[in-house]
Amino acid sequence: VRSLRDTNEFGDKEGESVELGIGSANWAIFGVLWDAGQVLAHLLHSYDIKGRRVLEVGCGLGLSSLVLNHRHVDVTATDYHPAAGDFLAANVALNGGSEIPFVCTAWDDEDCGMGQFDLIIGSDVLYERAHVAALSAFIDRHAHPTCEVIIVDGGREERGRFTSSMHALGYESCRYKPLPSDYLAAPFGGEILHFARCAD
């Protein structure tokens, strides 16, 4: 997987990130492999997903989308960072996969033309309180009436507010058994948030 060396790398020659409000302190966050992303990718390696259309929110390097692409799943990746699409394309090429549709969009965008999905996934996306309402609304706009949502949280403080927001939108929480984390360098201290909504 092509990634940045660490969170100190910065490159914004065209000034796109600055225009979007992504400062130098946060520029590299998208380009690092986080534990939550590895947990989500590991889960999706064998998840029952046949015939479903999948949306990854805040994809970063797109590790989970790469796993689904390898399984020939219909997956679309999204991120707000303007460099995420280039890194995703490079990683698809490195892994010999087919092109993964990428949409650069913010969670408060009302219509980015993607349509609706059967499963919406994300990892480590609950890092700011101000994003909770926007993310849950974005998910709801792009969810089929019957839809699953899986968000792997890296142990941040906003998961309770996000869960409440999803419940208010009509999604029920599902329980996950703890995943074995021996594929990580250290035990995973986060949580898998799993929601489902069924059409009436």
Side-chain angles (χ1 to χ4, degrees):
V1 174
R2 179 189 174 198
S3 67
L4 300 176
R5 287 186 294 270
D6 54 44
T7 56
N8 293 316
E9 287 200 66
F10 178 78
D12 188 24
K13 293 180 181 179
E14 306 299 324
E16 291 179 88
S17 300
V18 171
E19 288 183 12
L20 293 171
I22 304 171
S24 58
N26 294 322
W27 190 91
I29 290 174
F30 86 96
V32 177
L33 282 176
W34 300 98
D35 284 352
Q38 295 179 62
V39 168
L40 180 60
H42 184 83
L43 184 156
L44 294 169
H45 183 266
S46 58
Y47 196 76
D48 183 10
I49 209 165
K50 185 177 180 181
R52 289 198 269 180
R53 187 173 186 232
V54 183
L55 174 67
E56 182 174 10
V57 297
C59 70
L61 296 173
L63 181 61
S64 292
S65 288
L66 290 170
V67 169
L68 295 176
N69 194 38
H70 180 73
R71 296 183 61 192
H72 306 291
V73 171
D74 180 0
V75 59
T76 297
T78 66
D79 203 291
Y80 187 54
H81 199 294
D86 293 334
F87 274 74
L88 177 65
N91 284 322
V92 167
L94 282 173
N95 288 275
S98 56
E99 181 181 358
I100 297 174
F102 173 80
V103 179
C104 187
T105 183
W107 293 331
D108 57 3
D109 287 349
E110 288 296 326
D111 184 11
C112 48
M114 296 187 301
Q116 295 181 315
F117 297 81
D118 308 294
L119 173 63
I120 299 176
I121 61 172
S123 61
D124 220 350
V125 290
L126 300 174
Y127 44 87
E128 288 189 30
R129 180 176 297 190
H131 293 167
V132 169
L135 174 58
S136 55
F138 182 84
I139 288 171
D140 192 51
R141 280 196 298 276
H142 296 288
H144 274 145
T146 297
C147 183
E148 275 186 275
V149 179
I150 299 174
I151 302 293
V152 180
D153 178 60
R156 308 204 181 258
E157 297 179 358
E158 305 305 326
R159 60 178 176 263
R161 293 182 183 86
F162 178 74
T163 296
S164 296
S165 184
M166 292 298 290
H167 289 170
L169 290 168
Y171 297 82
E172 295 184 359
S173 292
C174 308
R175 288 283 182 188
Y176 252 114
K177 294 180 181 178
L179 281 176
S181 56
D182 54 355
Y183 54 92
L184 293 174
F188 179 61
E191 185 177 343
I192 298 171
L193 306 176
H194 184 198
F195 305 94
R197 182 182 67 185
C198 296
D200 295 333

